[in-house]
Amino acid sequence: MAKTEPIVISPAVVDGLRMIFARLANDTSALSRPADVAEPVDRDAISPRLLTAVQAGEFLGVDQTTVRELWRDGKLKCVHVGRGRKVSTVELWRYINEHEQFDRDR
């Protein structure tokens, strides 16, 4: 089964789609309802941020050394910014999704 990257949709696009669907369904109450009134959303999942090795380690629950080893081994993509490296939250979620597995022994 192929893994796919998450789709990022901005709140403005969600509002536009909501208006289109409301017009199609003749539901005028949805026209005045902003997108952020719906369910709470994890903003890191929507708008990618660049994190340092320390921040990425906290995100993954590992030490920064592990993040640097993943970069070195090519298992985690990084962005070179100035003299340092950073990793996007989207890349961290990709890594998690690709390495997530069910542990039958527990």
Side-chain angles (χ1 to χ4, degrees):
M1 181 183 327
K3 299 283 182 173
T4 59
E5 300 255 345
I7 297 173
V8 179
I9 301 174
S10 72
V13 173
V14 172
D15 282 339
L17 291 172
R18 181 174 281 134
M19 285 179 41
I20 291 169
F21 288 124
R23 286 184 182 154
L24 289 172
N26 291 326
D27 178 13
T28 56
S29 67
L31 294 174
S32 61
R33 194 171 45 228
D36 58 357
V37 173
E39 58 190 77
V41 175
D42 179 8
R43 293 290 175 200
D44 287 341
I46 291 176
S47 47
R49 292 181 33 208
L50 294 177
L51 304 178
T52 64
V54 173
Q55 294 168 325
E58 291 172 359
F59 186 91
L60 293 172
V62 298
D63 189 64
Q64 65 174 316
T65 307
T66 304
V67 173
R68 294 179 196 284
E69 289 171 358
L70 291 170
W71 283 338
R72 183 194 66 213
D73 298 340
K75 296 178 180 176
L76 193 64
K77 296 177 188 175
C78 65
V79 176
H80 292 273
V81 179
R83 293 176 52 197
R85 292 181 288 186
K86 302 208 183 237
V87 61
S88 72
T89 52
V90 172
E91 174 64 7
L92 292 172
W93 281 114
R94 180 206 58 83
Y95 180 82
I96 291 169
N97 288 333
E98 286 185 4
H99 291 86
E100 193 171 39
Q101 56 185 321
F102 179 72
D103 188 3
R104 290 184 183 186
D105 297 335
R106 290 188 180 214

